[in-house]
Amino acid sequence: MSLSFEGRVVLVTGAGGGLGREYALAFAERGASVVVNDLGADTKGGGKSSAAADKVVEEIRAKGGKAVANYDSVEDGEKLIQSTLDAFGRIDVVVNNAGILRDRSFARTSDLDWDLIQRVHLRGSFLVTRAAWNHMKNQKFGRIIMTASAAGIYGNFGQANYSAAKLGMLGLANTLAIEGRKYNVHCNTIAPVAGSRLTETVMPPDLVASLKPEYVAPLVLWLCHEQCQENGGLFEVGAGWIGKLRWERSQGRTVRQKNQPMTPEVVRDQWDKICDFTDATKPTSVQESLQSIMTVLSQVESGGEVGVNPTAAAASATSASGINPAEAVGQKLPPTTFNFTHTQCILYALGVGMSTKDPDHLRFLYEGHPDFSCLPTFGVIPSQAAMMDGGLTSIPGLNIDFTQVLHGEQYLELYRPLPTSGKLTSEATIVDVLDKGSGAVILLDVNTYSGDELVSYNQFTVFVVGAGGFGGKRTSEKAKPSLPPPKRAPDAVVIDSTTRDQAALYRLSGDWNPLHIDPSFAAMGGFKAPILHGLCSFGFAARHVLKHFADNDPSRFKAIKVRFVKPVMPGQSLQTEMWKEGNRIHIQCKVKETDAVVLAGAYVDLHGASEASPESLTQGGGLQSELVFAEIGRRIKDLGSELVKKVNAVFGWEITKDGKSAAQWTIDLKNGSGSLHKGPCSGKADVTFTVSDEDFMEVVMGKLNPQKAFFSGKLKVRGNIMLSQKLEVILKDYAKL
Ligand code: NAI
């Protein structure tokens, strides 16, 4: 459908010639009632004549359009609007276009040269727009154009006065865009290039002729149409080309160290980094701009702890150069313990949006439920204590500015469904430190144990802004990679709303950063309001997968990986898009209201339904125990060294079926990093068990105690019988398979 301006009233200032005339003709041609304003001055602002405006009005009327002339100077802004209202009864669009030039080299610029330019361009646009403003606000519609210039954006010899006024208009437009937004009053700025009497003195004649004003007008019409939602934009336009401009900002560098004075010498020494546009950000608001600065401040105030949230837009950087991977890698943080009861599990489930509205959530919300369980992603909670306690600060070789630490990615793997109460101990190790140029990446692996038993593994990917450049490697085989989703429409999409109090609730699970609750603290961080914890959205996304692809069965959950991209505000809706690829469910999480991706490169790995319920797998005469051994094999692959340390023995297995030997297995947890193979032991097993396929499953599922099985003759043991106690370490995890 063509864009119509029927019923709209448009005021174009300086429309007696050049670009303004073209706009006036184009608006009128599409049905608008147009006020053609022009003072009829010369290019320097001298003289006055009604001829220019009259001529354009005649042209419009000759074509059957509606137009009236106005001869006031834009310095009498009220008069322009009054005559518009007198003629047409309303004002919908103001195109601030009138302009003059008084080019001089800066030294020769007189007060008059300066003042006249400011008065016509900047003050004139202000006065005309202010006179129209309340009319637009009251009718909940308005479109305003400011005319800037490349001279203002980039500077131009001999145009100091003009450059200042033109960029002043952009500043005016930026704020009007914000103040007018909620009234549907939009303000955009153009920097045109066109042949006109203003440019004929600086451009060759054939260029003046070919850069036609009609190659600019369509942009102005679009920006002024009710369909166009653009607001606060800046566009360069000419010769039929249109481009949008925005600000870019270097990652920057924090040149202040805690408790030390800030000096010009440090500024000098960091100058290259300050001006380096690698990984530059593109702030679009004062909030975003201040965010990095306030993050420095607020993180200093909060004691330099690692904020477990994805506020990764923060951008200034540390001056730290004290990273020594050789020293840091392999260092352990002090172990932490985490005591919990069902209360914490339930609180966490509520924190990640579970509700009694959904009957199948009850198993996570009610300790009396027969299948009461802990949500798998609760597995991050015990391990994050290691980070929250500021343990990183004590690591040698990691002399970094802890105000610059951001939580970039998270990986969690469970080796058994989480218990619903107990005491868990976490051990964190720096497994790698990477040099990403603009920043350093610290990979922190946290193993969490219940007694001796490994329950979960977390990998925190911590980004230290500005701490790169120490000459380290860029990638690590230790990093659990994030993965892009398949290039097809998602197989499932779940939309779920967070509540206004989601962060207030989630923080009770242990992330007490005031950024998530205190409006003034959030404002210091550059946010309009407290933001949701990244790990809260992570919990939402994981339970969406669990519900959709695993029937809410926590024993099906194996692992999750996410990359935090943007923050979510409590109350926004999360849209989790899921792609199933075998047992891997790729996910991407967006804020529904803004379509912004908040979790990227993410996936959840599930245990296959068959693996998870071995009872159902006897079809085809296969041995149920095969699956358990397959899983033991996977676990040895992942964790072999841990298990070898704990067990240090070779186990032989003889599985019988209907009284006959059906399979032999060897679990070697003594040599190298452990192995599993099907068949008899090549060397000597420390202990060999003979058991029927059925009884093996009973033991595995915790229904038959191994000692009892031995005494009742169901389990035969040859070799070092004491080692059967260690069976627990291997088998106990599968009790809930
Ligand atoms: P132009 O000189 O043809 O048009 C400007 C019009 O404004 C003239 O008709 C003039 O009489 C009128 N005017 C001057 N002072 C006035 C006042 N106090 N009140 C009311 N009307 C007044 O020039 P052009 O090229 O069409 O320029 C239009 C706008 O675009 C100007 O603001 C100019 O600075 C801007 N611009 C133009 C560029 C180009 O390549 N033509 C480049 C960058 C900016």
Side-chain angles (χ1 to χ4, degrees):
M1 264 251 298
S2 63
L3 298 171
S4 165
F5 284 88
E6 209 65 55
R8 295 288 181 209
V9 176
V10 178
L11 164 66
V12 183
T13 70
L19 285 163
R21 170 181 166 273
E22 194 63 40
Y23 305 152
L25 289 168
F27 276 114
E29 197 179 302
R30 286 171 182 263
S33 304
V34 180
V35 176
V36 178
N37 158 265
D38 208 296
L39 181 66
D42 62 30
T43 55
K44 294 190 171 164
K48 198 172 177 348
S49 145
S50 57
D54 284 344
K55 199 163 163 259
V56 177
V57 169
E58 273 162 35
E59 272 184 85
I60 291 173
R61 288 185 177 160
K63 291 184 183 168
K66 301 176 279 283
V68 296
N70 170 278
Y71 319 115
D72 293 310
S73 166
V74 288
E75 291 186 71
D76 294 317
E78 290 281 353
K79 288 188 185 167
L80 273 71
I81 298 303
Q82 196 52 55
S83 67
T84 307
L85 296 173
D86 291 347
F88 300 117
R90 58 185 287 138
I91 173 75
D92 295 297
V93 173
V94 169
V95 182
N96 290 296
N97 167 79
I100 54 169
L101 286 178
R102 291 180 78 94
D103 293 358
R104 297 267 190 284
S105 65
F106 181 56
R108 294 176 52 224
T109 302
S110 68
D111 286 7
L112 188 64
D113 294 332
W114 179 266
D115 290 346
L116 264 182
I117 289 289
Q118 309 305 319
R119 275 165 44 193
V120 173
H121 290 274
L122 184 54
R123 191 173 152 78
S125 302
F126 155 64
L127 289 168
V128 174
T129 306
R130 189 181 61 181
W133 189 254
N134 280 340
H135 299 285
M136 292 180 167
K137 255 174 78 173
N138 292 340
Q139 72 198 13
K140 297 248 173 349
F141 178 82
R143 295 288 184 266
I144 298 159
I145 297 291
M146 295 292 172
T147 308
S149 161
I153 298 169
Y154 307 108
N156 197 24
F157 192 92
Q159 293 197 307
N161 52 356
Y162 181 75
S163 303
K166 285 306 199 189
L167 216 58
M169 291 171 71
L170 175 65
L172 173 60
N174 286 340
T175 292
L176 295 188
I178 293 168
E179 292 192 14
R181 180 171 292 136
K182 74 172 177 201
Y183 304 104
N184 191 22
V185 177
H186 295 172
C187 184
N188 289 287
T189 305
I190 61 163
V193 180
S196 75
R197 64 178 199 165
L198 282 191
T199 45
E200 66 192 3
T201 50
V202 288
M203 283 183 191
D206 51 342
L207 201 58
V208 170
S210 54
L211 288 172
K212 297 188 198 319
E214 65 205 59
Y215 302 147
V216 173
L219 168 65
V220 171
L221 264 71
W222 165 238
L223 290 172
C224 293
H225 197 270
E226 63 205 24
Q227 280 179 20
C228 180
Q229 292 308 305
E230 187 70 38
N231 188 21
L234 169 63
F235 302 88
E236 286 187 332
V237 51
W241 171 88
I242 302 166
K244 187 172 180 180
L245 281 83
R246 65 180 173 192
W247 293 99
E248 191 177 46
R249 184 175 66 179
S250 72
Q251 281 283 335
R253 202 85 174 156
T254 302
V255 290
R256 181 168 74 91
Q257 296 273 310
K258 205 175 168 187
N259 301 330
Q260 280 174 27
M262 179 168 165
T263 65
E265 288 75 19
V266 182
V267 177
R268 173 197 60 201
D269 296 343
Q270 297 297 331
W271 195 243
D272 287 351
K273 289 274 180 197
I274 290 167
C275 301
D276 180 357
F277 274 93
T278 313
D279 295 329
T281 58
K282 296 169 184 72
T284 57
S285 64
V286 169
Q287 284 76 15
E288 275 183 44
S289 152
L290 280 180
Q291 186 172 327
S292 53
I293 292 165
M294 290 308 175
T295 302
V296 173
L297 213 56
S298 62
Q299 289 185 333
V300 169
E301 278 183 30
S302 68
E305 285 178 1
V306 177
V308 183
N309 64 66
T311 56
S316 21
T318 171
S319 62
S321 54
I323 290 199
N324 180 354
E327 209 180 345
V329 172
Q331 294 284 348
K332 290 192 185 317
L333 273 60
T336 53
T337 52
F338 180 80
N339 288 299
F340 70 114
T341 66
H342 62 264
T343 309
Q344 277 87 344
C345 305
I346 296 170
L347 195 58
Y348 175 82
L350 291 168
V352 298
M354 296 214 113
S355 158
T356 52
K357 270 194 304 220
D358 218 330
D360 59 356
H361 286 179
L362 210 56
R363 69 178 296 176
F364 301 105
L365 295 175
Y366 173 39
E367 71 286 3
H369 191 281
D371 293 324
F372 178 60
S373 313
C374 187
L375 269 176
T377 46
F378 182 74
V380 294
I381 301 294
S383 70
Q384 84 182 14
M387 309 262 295
M388 287 296 180
D389 292 352
L392 276 177
T393 44
S394 58
I395 298 295
L398 278 192
N399 174 24
I400 50 174
D401 178 352
F402 284 89
T403 63
Q404 293 303 316
V405 170
L406 303 166
H407 190 187
E409 299 178 27
Q410 184 70 29
Y411 179 81
L412 161 71
E413 184 166 348
L414 298 185
Y415 301 110
R416 49 157 294 176
L418 291 169
T420 52
S421 64
K423 177 176 160 185
L424 299 173
T425 320
S426 294
E427 288 172 9
T429 311
I430 310 288
V431 291
D432 225 336
V433 182
L434 308 178
D435 186 350
K436 295 283 188 187
S438 63
V441 165
I442 301 172
L443 294 180
L444 187 74
D445 279 4
V446 185
N447 283 324
T448 300
Y449 298 88
S450 169
D452 277 349
E453 184 194 358
L454 183 63
V455 173
S456 68
Y457 159 73
N458 276 273
Q459 183 172 78
F460 291 81
T461 305
V462 174
F463 192 76
V464 191
V465 183
F470 53 88
K473 56 184 182 166
R474 277 190 82 86
T475 55
S476 169
E477 69 288 352
K478 304 250 175 56
K480 294 285 181 185
S482 53
L483 299 170
K487 287 194 173 59
R488 60 169 200 266
D491 301 325
V493 179
V494 171
I495 296 170
D496 203 354
S497 48
T498 66
T499 68
R500 179 71 174 75
D501 292 320
Q502 206 70 57
L505 192 56
Y506 181 82
R507 63 193 295 274
L508 303 181
S509 285
D511 185 339
W512 301 101
N513 190 334
L515 180 64
H516 306 292
I517 185 83
D518 182 342
S520 55
F521 200 89
M524 277 202 305
F527 297 101
K528 284 196 208 95
I531 62 168
L532 196 59
H533 304 70
L535 283 175
C536 179
S537 318
F538 161 97
F540 266 78
R543 67 173 181 71
H544 291 158
V545 173
L546 201 65
K547 174 164 178 146
H548 211 88
F549 291 99
D551 202 21
N552 268 334
D553 177 358
S555 70
R556 295 275 310 277
F557 178 95
K558 184 167 188 275
I560 179 169
K561 169 80 192 185
V562 308
R563 187 154 58 78
F564 301 109
V565 183
K566 275 198 169 154
V568 175
M569 307 311 288
Q572 287 181 321
S573 300
L574 288 170
Q575 174 169 330
T576 306
E577 299 167 347
M578 300 173 263
W579 293 258
K580 183 167 171 21
E581 296 273 285
N583 283 339
R584 173 161 289 169
I585 315 297
H586 291 269
I587 40 181
Q588 171 169 275
C589 215
K590 289 177 175 167
V591 166
K592 182 169 181 295
E593 289 80 0
T594 61
D595 210 36
V597 174
V598 290
L599 302 179
Y603 59 83
V604 170
D605 283 341
L606 297 171
H607 295 293
S610 49
E611 293 168 50
S613 49
E615 289 108 315
S616 63
L617 275 158
T618 38
Q619 303 98 320
L623 297 171
Q624 296 181 59
S625 54
E626 297 266 355
L627 290 157
V628 176
F629 281 107
E631 185 56 32
I632 289 174
R634 271 195 285 278
R635 184 157 176 225
I636 291 175
K637 232 188 218 152
D638 286 344
L639 280 174
S641 325
E642 294 276 350
L643 293 170
V644 166
K645 248 191 263 161
K646 272 192 217 158
V647 177
N648 192 33
V650 179
F651 297 89
W653 288 90
E654 177 116 29
I655 305 293
T656 62
K657 179 100 182 156
D658 304 325
K660 284 184 236 138
S661 174
Q664 287 177 316
W665 293 92
T666 305
I667 301 175
D668 183 347
L669 292 177
K670 194 178 203 170
N671 303 299
S673 52
S675 64
L676 168 86
H677 78 264
K678 197 167 182 186
C681 185
S682 52
K684 194 172 171 311
D686 294 298
V687 60
T688 301
F689 303 98
T690 304
V691 64
S692 76
D693 193 40
E694 294 77 7
D695 290 340
F696 177 81
M697 292 314 293
E698 296 276 309
V699 171
V700 163
M701 292 197 290
K703 291 185 190 156
L704 178 62
N705 174 303
Q707 264 112 357
K708 270 196 196 153
F710 174 67
F711 286 117
S712 65
K714 289 183 171 170
L715 178 72
K716 297 193 175 66
V717 183
R718 272 178 288 133
N720 183 352
I721 194 163
M722 296 307 286
L723 284 172
S724 49
Q725 285 173 11
K726 299 213 173 175
L727 265 184
E728 286 235 56
V729 181
I730 313 169
L731 296 183
K732 202 172 147 198
D733 292 348
Y734 304 96
K736 279 208 158 185
L737 272 175

